[in-house]
Amino acid sequence: MTKPRAISSLAEAAATLPADLRTAFDRIFHVSVSLGQPAPPSTMQAWIVDHFGSADAVRRQRIVKVTNRVTLEGALFNPLRAQRPIEAPHATASLENEIDNIRTEYQWEGCNFCHPLTATPADVFGRVRGRHSLTASNVAKCDGWHAVIVFDEHHPLHFSADQVADYLDTGQQWARMAHQLDPEACYPFFLWNCLWRSGASILHGHAQMVLTRGMHYARVEHWRQAAIRYQQAHGANYFADLVAVHRALGLAVDHGTATILASLTPFKEKETHVIAPCLNDDLKSALNWVLNTFVERLDVQSFNVALYQPPLTHTAENWDGFPFVFRILERGDLRSPTSDVGSMEFFAQSVVVTDPFRVADALYDESTEGIS
Ligand SMILES: [Zn+2]
């Protein structure tokens, strides 16, 4: 099969898939293409060529809309923008200054998160001490159980595979301890907001863990219900089909028992999923691989990570076949005062610049196993 080189030829690529995969693609995705045709005055010519390379490219723009029929999530890709090289924010120097300023402000003794035992509260059951992190009870909570996983490392972009694995293990251990005290609180959610564009209020590296009761968080429950409906309608596991379709299109990278996907319906730039049946070493290592690719190869400085996972105990709902899924995406240039989300993202369908095929190119590496 000839792999498509761009999101603009997704429909053509899907048409060439073997019949069973084509069926799965059509069950999951809806693709439509529209043409944007601005008529710029001659006075804009120089500006257009300067910014987009050619006036013709601007006069005829193919916009690709991809919608996941199962989860009703979707993205609008404008190849005019997507075909441009991924821009580095060039903000490294100012970021390092910012991190140094914090140290200077605290007279080089570190920030509050550098001293979590004296500057952060514990939970009623105490704290979980990991190899590279320590939990704190969040002062202003999102939910009844809400921990901060404070990294030993102050610098938010300095992390290793062992550190990432520890942050995840520490969060899971915290969730088990909270669940033991409060058995009805059984739905865990791990999140990692890195630097201010992502919503992080503290610069020092940290992740968070929340544990809820009654039902899972709305977005996670939405995926569960969607997957159940898919199973009932087609007699197939939604996540297995999702992986198979991405793999067939050249958008999947196998990492042991975990699979990394460059999502066809990213909520924002470069959204990548990592899927495995449980939170095993492959899944932890794959998350580290994705984050390293983002930071080192795609010049990402601010990102969001979330982990969708089933509850810690048996519940009334059907979680059969629901895997562990990381969702990772970029949050834009640290220097930019403009938000990367607006009315389209909140209320319609996300507008995305980065072509998932370029994300897959970056995630591809000869050291990983079974490259698709
Ligand atoms: Zn610190």
Side-chain angles (χ1 to χ4, degrees), residues 310-356:
L312 298 175
T313 188
H314 180 76
T315 59
E317 325 86 66
N318 180 0
W319 288 90
D320 289 349
F322 194 98
F324 283 62
V325 186
F326 282 109
R327 302 183 67 170
I328 307 113
L329 50 75
E330 181 195 12
R331 294 304 306 277
D333 188 338
L334 286 170
R335 297 166 307 175
S336 173
T338 308
S339 176
D340 59 342
V341 285
S343 295
M344 284 299 288
E345 284 74 21
F346 285 124
F347 307 125
Q349 188 148 343
S350 294
V351 182
V352 173
V353 171
T354 317
D355 188 325

Side-chain angles (χ1 to χ4, degrees), residues 110-111 113-114 154 204:
C111 68
F113 276 13
C114 286
H154 173 88
H204 183 117

Side-chain angles (χ1 to χ4, degrees), residues 9-31:
S9 55
L10 177 62
E12 292 84 345
T16 68
L17 292 175
D20 55 336
L21 289 165
R22 175 65 204 254
T23 301
F25 181 91
D26 288 339
R27 282 176 192 159
I28 299 176
F29 294 109
H30 175 273
V31 182

Side-chain angles (χ1 to χ4, degrees), residues 193-259:
N193 299 331
C194 182
L195 286 165
W196 53 88
R197 294 276 309 179
S198 73
S201 56
I202 303 283
L203 191 144
H204 183 117
H206 65 285
Q208 299 172 66
M209 196 82 194
V210 279
L211 190 68
T212 196
R213 52 176 58 221
M215 68 187 295
H216 217 315
Y217 290 112
R219 297 269 169 90
V220 188
E221 174 64 11
H222 177 71
W223 271 30
R224 186 194 68 80
Q225 291 190 17
I228 291 289
R229 283 194 298 272
Y230 187 89
Q231 178 81 43
Q232 290 168 346
H234 308 297
N237 181 278
Y238 162 69
F239 297 100
D241 279 1
L242 187 74
V243 168
V245 165
H246 278 78
R247 180 176 286 119
L249 291 167
L251 291 166
V253 178
D254 288 325
H255 195 95
T257 56
T259 309

